[in-house]
């Protein structure tokens, strides 16, 4: 019986790992030449109340997911082409959606904000700055600088940009970053092999859903 349970657990971990690897994006050196939004008044300004960043973290015994708010954002779009833009993420707002207060919600959120993870006292914001976008195999690929925990890396993510009159939605597919690339090393098996099955997966799921209006 114990062997069956262990086998099921290993299959589940392998399935999650394969899915995460499939959606993994590579963190490269930051793009130095970022085109800034030139005319803010004629651009699309993010609707903070309707925009979210989602996250999900995995470990052998389960997973947790939640959201993070943005504080501001702006985009330039010409002829339905995403030319430039950026949005700032409020890391102090990180929250867990799958736990109730009595089940450890506040404890986990506090830990995520501590120096072990995102150290929000020292790094209260994160940022994504768009450098370029192009369509490959019928899918929009957006390249930009992601700054997290004070470290900036360039990533390319699949996304969609939709326009409805004067409203624009920038929505990424779910993608995975290696948190250790950004200095988040708590319980990383890559850093401490002695953790055995007590580790937290290095790959962290993220998605952007930003609504903006002129």
């Amino acid at each position: 019986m114990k062997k069956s349970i262990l086998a099921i657990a290993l299959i589940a971990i392998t399935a999650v790992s394969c899915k995460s690897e499939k959606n993994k994006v590579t963190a490269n050196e930051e793009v130095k030449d970022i085109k800034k939004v030139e005319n803010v008044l004629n651009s699309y300004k993010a609707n903070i109340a309707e925009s979210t960043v989602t996250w999900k973290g995995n470990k052998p015994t389960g997973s947790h997911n939640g959201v993070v708010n943005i504080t501001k954002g702006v985009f330039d779009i010409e002829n339905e082409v995403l030319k430039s833009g950026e949005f700032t993420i409020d890391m102090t707002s990180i929250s867990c959606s799958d736990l109730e207060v009595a089940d450890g919600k506040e404890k986990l959120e506090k830990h995520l904000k501590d120096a072990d993870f995102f150290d929000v006292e020292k790094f209260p914001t994160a940022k994504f700055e768009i450098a370029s976008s192009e369509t490959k195999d019928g899918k929009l690929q957006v390249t930009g600088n992601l700054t997290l925990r004070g470290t900036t890396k360039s990533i390319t993510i699949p996304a969609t940009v939709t326009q409805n009159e004067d409203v624009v939605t920038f929505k990424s597919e779910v993608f995975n970053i290696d948190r250790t690339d950004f200095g988040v090393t708590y319980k990383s098996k890559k850093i401490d092999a002695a953790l055995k099955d007590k580790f937290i997966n290095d790959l962290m799921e993220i998605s952007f859903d930003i609504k903006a209006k002129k």
Side-chain angles (χ1 to χ4, degrees), residues 147-160:
T147 300
L148 181 64
R149 209 177 187 272
T151 298
T152 302
K153 299 284 186 178
S154 168
I155 60 173
T156 298
I157 58 176
T160 57

Side-chain angles (χ1 to χ4, degrees), residues 18-195:
C18 290
K19 181 182 177 182
S20 298
E21 287 289 346
K22 182 180 178 181
N23 298 327
K24 181 184 178 183
V25 297
T26 302
N28 300 305
E29 291 302 312
E30 66 178 291
V31 177
K32 301 296 183 181
D33 185 21
I34 293 287
K35 183 181 178 182
K36 296 293 184 180
V37 172
E38 295 177 354
N39 187 347
V40 176
L41 294 178
N42 196 39
S43 299
Y44 293 84
K45 185 178 180 182
N47 183 330
I48 296 171
E50 296 184 6
S51 300
T52 55
V53 178
T54 64
W55 64 268
K56 183 177 181 180
N58 296 283
K59 56 184 178 179
T61 55
S63 65
H64 293 297
N65 64 82
V67 297
V68 196
N69 299 329
I70 71 166
T71 60
K72 59 181 178 180
V74 65
F75 300 100
D76 260 351
I77 294 178
E78 296 178 12
N79 300 322
E80 299 185 355
V81 176
L82 183 61
K83 307 294 288 186
S84 59
E86 65 178 68
F87 52 91
T88 302
I89 304 164
D90 179 13
M91 294 304 294
T92 67
S93 72
I94 190 168
S95 63
C96 177
S97 302
D98 62 285
L99 289 176
E100 300 294 336
V101 174
D103 295 326
K105 175 182 171 69
E106 291 179 329
K107 182 179 179 181
L108 175 59
E109 290 173 353
K110 180 181 182 302
H111 196 189
L112 291 173
K113 295 174 185 179
D114 285 347
D116 277 347
F117 278 96
F118 300 110
D119 199 359
V120 302
E121 183 175 347
K122 189 174 181 180
F123 307 104
T125 62
K127 180 184 287 187
F128 185 67
E129 300 174 284
I130 295 166
S132 62
S133 66
E134 63 178 327
T135 300
K136 286 185 177 181
D137 299 324
K139 185 173 291 187
L140 181 67
Q141 301 289 332
V142 177
T143 297
N145 288 338
L146 176 64
T147 300
L148 181 64
R149 209 177 187 272
T151 298
T152 302
K153 299 284 186 178
S154 168
I155 60 173
T156 298
I157 58 176
T160 57
V161 175
T162 55
Q163 288 181 269
N164 183 8
E165 296 182 351
D166 61 346
V167 176
V168 163
T169 300
F170 169 67
K171 185 177 180 64
S172 77
E173 294 184 11
V174 173
F175 61 94
N176 290 275
I177 61 168
D178 186 330
R179 61 189 176 94
T180 64
D181 288 334
F182 297 86
V184 185
T185 59
Y186 179 77
K187 285 197 174 180
S188 166
K189 201 170 184 178
K190 186 190 302 180
I191 305 300
D192 185 0
L195 287 168

